Amino acid sequence: MPAITPGTQARPCPADEQLLLAHEHESREMERYRGLALSFLPTHPHVSRLMAALGIECEQRIAALEALAEQLKLSQFLLTRPSRHPALPGASQLHLFITDDTMACQALSHALAVAHYSRRFSELMARYCQLPALDALLAQFIDHKRTACQLLEEAQAGAYGASARA
């Protein structure tokens, strides 16, 4: 695969590939947030609820992408829900329960870093989007992801505060 250098134009991504990329990204995000919701449940139920809510937002974004794909007659390019992720990278990792504030701080720090990555990924997708309807969805996704980052930052600050008091 040729490297893209500063003088090289990126090749536009066909609509079906853009939809597939966005769909797969949101699917991985949903699975990650669901795992985090489970991990935080025993000791930090409020953070578990936040992670579950963020997972539900991902599920709503997936549904919006699937509806758009159906509208554009591109749904054949998206994987069906039951077999969406038979072997996600990292899916073999066990979900560990968060047992103390130190683990909570580390997990929230990682969740926040990945949330920022997800926002940047969506921003890049929007920048190179060739499909106006997908571009409009991505703009909404970016706003949701900014809010998710803010909520995770607040949860992280609360966890660090609890850790410092302990």
Side-chain angles (χ1 to χ4, degrees):
M1 180 172 188
I4 296 178
T5 60
T8 307
Q9 280 281 33
R11 150 180 109 69
C13 195
D16 57 331
E17 289 181 21
Q18 290 174 326
L19 276 170
L20 180 61
L21 278 172
H23 187 270
E24 286 300 305
H25 178 77
E26 290 301 325
S27 297
R28 283 190 303 275
E29 286 290 285
M30 181 184 67
E31 295 298 325
R32 188 175 60 77
Y33 281 124
R34 285 181 174 174
L36 285 167
L38 178 62
S39 294
F40 278 100
L41 187 58
T43 56
H44 296 80
H46 63 288
V47 177
S48 176
R49 286 188 296 275
L50 170 62
M51 297 301 176
L54 294 175
I56 290 169
E57 284 186 4
C58 291
E59 194 170 351
Q60 292 168 345
R61 289 191 291 266
I62 290 167
L65 288 166
E66 289 172 351
L68 176 61
E70 189 172 316
Q71 176 188 351
L72 298 172
K73 310 240 185 295
L74 295 173
S75 56
Q76 71 272 15
F77 295 104
L78 302 182
L79 301 176
T80 58
R81 277 189 193 261
S83 61
R84 182 181 294 134
H85 298 297
L88 272 179
S92 61
Q93 296 175 352
L94 296 174
H95 290 290
L96 300 175
F97 288 114
I98 305 298
T99 57
D100 58 31
D101 289 336
T102 303
M103 276 183 86
C105 290
Q106 291 173 340
L108 282 166
S109 179
H110 183 262
L112 180 58
V114 175
H116 281 297
Y117 165 81
S118 180
R119 177 189 47 79
R120 288 190 306 270
F121 175 84
S122 294
E123 289 170 347
L124 283 171
M125 286 287 295
R127 181 180 299 163
Y128 295 106
C129 188
Q130 302 294 313
L131 191 61
L134 179 58
D135 190 43
L137 276 180
L138 290 171
Q140 293 174 8
F141 292 4
I142 293 165
D143 288 340
H144 294 161
K145 290 171 186 281
R146 281 189 185 118
T147 301
C149 289
Q150 291 171 345
L151 292 171
L152 288 168
E153 286 169 356
E154 291 170 10
Q156 184 184 39
Y160 279 118
S163 178
R165 288 188 296 271

